[in-house]
């Protein structure tokens, strides 16, 4: 069955999914215990629909990936009840063997946002049970899979601060972290190779995007399409700190790419080096360090998403 453009204008091919048994993978301690608080709603919705499912409570990402692999061997549909880090890890573990369902249960939920999966759990369960399967790409950074955006530089500092924050909750943590990171930031020099073409600049961030969003709704790569076989690569070059912070709200609308200090590129493979060490963060988690080679793996993910309209 042919697909059509969804709410993000992304063209997808899709067919209605016929679900078998479900394995719901969740870490009860992640996001301040949010998945555990959401589980009663999921139970109610799936039981009322007569769904065949079981729940696997995991300790960490490697444990979650093993649970997904075991479920795939049984031919079950794997469902991530959590955030983008869990989605990326399960997608990497499955590599398209079985469909992946997504129930938003993290802080950012940017992969679900990109696909139009509602944050409301009752509606998300309806998508899971009555959605369409889409074949999407997956990102890979030094062998570590990711679903949304891998970035480094200033973003590395801001992500670390956000992950360590205890007093600030919800999406406000990202704005808090961005301001805190700016206080001590000094511009970095980046060497970036895009499909063999070299770029050098001084500034803030390099982001390689498989999907448009990160940081709880920041539209960092507004044109990114997770089904086009390409990464959208964003350079944020040097500008004054006051101007940088004044422009931050533009990221939520995706209009920051019109700024002189921001440029957008596309590539299948990205190599990044910098003049000092940085971790690379993707889907809210540190997944590797510089130097990094980031690739796109076309069609490596089968995911259950809302039916095309």
């Amino acid at each position: 069955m042919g697909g059509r453009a969804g709410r993000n204008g992304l063209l997808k091919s899709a067919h209605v999914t016929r679900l078998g048994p479900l394995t719901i993978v969740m870490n009860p301690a992640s996001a301040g215990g949010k998945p555990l608080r959401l589980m009663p709603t999921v139970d109610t919705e799936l039981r009322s629909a007569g769904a065949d499912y079981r729940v696997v409570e995991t300790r960490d990402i490697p444990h979650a990936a093993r649970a997904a692999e075991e479920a795939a061997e049984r031919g079950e549909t794997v469902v991530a009840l959590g955030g983008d880090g869990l989605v990326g890890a399960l997608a990497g573990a499955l590599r398209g063997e079985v469909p992946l369902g997504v129930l938003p249960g993290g802080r950012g939920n940017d992969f679900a946002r990109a696909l139009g999966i509602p944050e409301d759990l009752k509606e998300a369960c309806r998508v899971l049970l009555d959605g369409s399967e889409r074949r999407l790409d997956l990102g890979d950074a030094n062998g570590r899979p990711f679903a949304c955006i891998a970035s480094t530089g200033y973003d590395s500092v801001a992500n670390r601060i956000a992950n360590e924050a205890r007093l600030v909750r919800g999406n406000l943590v990202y704005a808090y972290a961005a301001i805190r990171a700016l206080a001590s930031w000094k511009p970095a020099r980046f060497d970036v190779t895009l499909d063999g073409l070299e770029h050098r600049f001084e500034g803030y961030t390099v982001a390689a995007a498989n999907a448009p969003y990160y940081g709880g709704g920041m539209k960092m790569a507004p044109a990114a399409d997770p089904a086009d076989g390409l990464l959208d690569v964003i350079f944020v070059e040097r500008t004054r700190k006051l101007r940088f912070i004044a422009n931050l709200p533009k990221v939520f609308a995706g209009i920051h790419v019109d700024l002189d200090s921001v440029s957008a590129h596309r590539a299948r493979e990205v190599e990044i080096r910098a003049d000092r060490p940085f971790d690379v963060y993707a889907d809210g988690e540190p997944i590797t360090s510089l130097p990094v080679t980031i690739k796109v793996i076309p069609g490596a993910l089968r995911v259950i998403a809302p039916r095309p309209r």
Side-chain angles (χ1 to χ4, degrees):
M1 180 184 298
R4 56 184 293 185
R7 74 175 189 178
N8 292 312
L10 307 178
L11 190 65
K12 306 285 188 293
S13 61
H15 66 271
V16 176
T17 301
R18 299 288 179 257
L19 291 178
L22 306 175
T23 292
I24 299 173
V25 180
M26 54 92 83
N27 183 337
S30 68
K34 185 177 179 180
L36 194 61
R37 295 193 298 272
L38 296 175
M39 198 61 228
T41 300
V42 176
D43 276 325
T44 299
E45 294 301 310
L46 296 186
R47 284 177 181 172
S48 65
D52 180 7
Y53 72 98
R54 67 189 188 94
V55 179
V56 178
E57 295 188 0
T58 63
R59 299 180 299 274
D60 51 31
I61 289 296
H63 185 198
R66 288 195 300 273
E69 291 168 354
E70 291 167 1
E73 290 173 0
R74 296 189 294 269
E76 298 170 359
T77 297
V78 177
V79 180
L81 174 56
D84 297 311
L86 180 63
V87 170
L90 298 191
L94 297 175
R95 298 290 174 123
E97 282 189 59
V98 299
L100 176 66
V102 178
L103 296 176
R107 286 194 299 186
N109 302 317
D110 288 306
F111 186 74
R113 180 177 289 106
L115 296 185
I117 297 173
E119 194 155 355
D120 179 88
L121 257 292
K122 291 182 180 180
E123 295 181 18
C125 285
R126 284 194 283 273
V127 171
L128 174 64
L129 297 171
D130 193 35
S132 296
E133 182 182 314
R134 297 179 182 176
R135 178 74 71 165
L136 303 181
D137 305 332
L138 193 63
D140 178 284
N142 283 351
R144 290 285 302 274
F146 65 92
C148 294
I149 297 178
S151 61
T152 192
Y154 169 81
D155 281 8
S156 307
V157 181
N159 266 285
R160 176 181 54 77
I161 292 171
N163 289 350
E164 292 174 353
R166 295 294 177 265
L167 298 179
V168 184
R169 300 290 184 181
N171 286 352
L172 284 176
V173 72
Y174 298 108
Y176 161 80
I179 295 169
R180 278 280 311 276
L182 194 61
S184 60
W185 175 255
K186 295 180 180 179
R189 291 192 299 274
F190 295 100
D191 291 299
V192 186
T193 304
L194 305 177
D195 290 339
L197 184 63
E198 295 183 359
H199 300 259
R200 291 183 178 179
F201 73 94
E202 188 175 80
Y204 289 85
T205 290
V206 181
N210 183 51
Y213 297 98
Y214 73 174
M218 294 181 181
K219 206 170 186 180
M220 182 62 168
D225 180 344
D228 66 358
L230 294 169
L231 296 166
D232 280 38
V233 186
I234 307 297
F235 297 169
V236 183
E237 300 187 30
R238 186 168 189 167
T239 189
R240 289 181 298 172
K241 287 186 178 182
L242 287 177
R243 180 171 294 177
F244 179 86
I245 204 71
N247 285 328
L248 270 180
K250 295 180 179 181
V251 182
F252 288 93
I255 58 176
H256 63 294
V257 293
D258 297 326
L259 298 170
D260 291 340
S261 57
V262 179
S263 59
H265 314 262
R266 283 185 173 161
R268 290 179 174 82
E269 182 171 309
V270 184
E271 297 176 16
I272 307 171
R273 290 176 171 79
D275 62 348
R276 59 184 189 266
F278 287 111
D279 287 332
V280 177
Y281 278 73
D283 303 331
E285 304 292 336
I287 61 169
T288 188
S289 299
L290 296 185
V292 64
T293 298
I294 303 175
K295 303 176 182 179
V296 63
I297 309 173
L301 173 59
R302 295 163 60 192
V303 66
I304 302 168
R307 293 192 192 192
R309 296 178 181 177

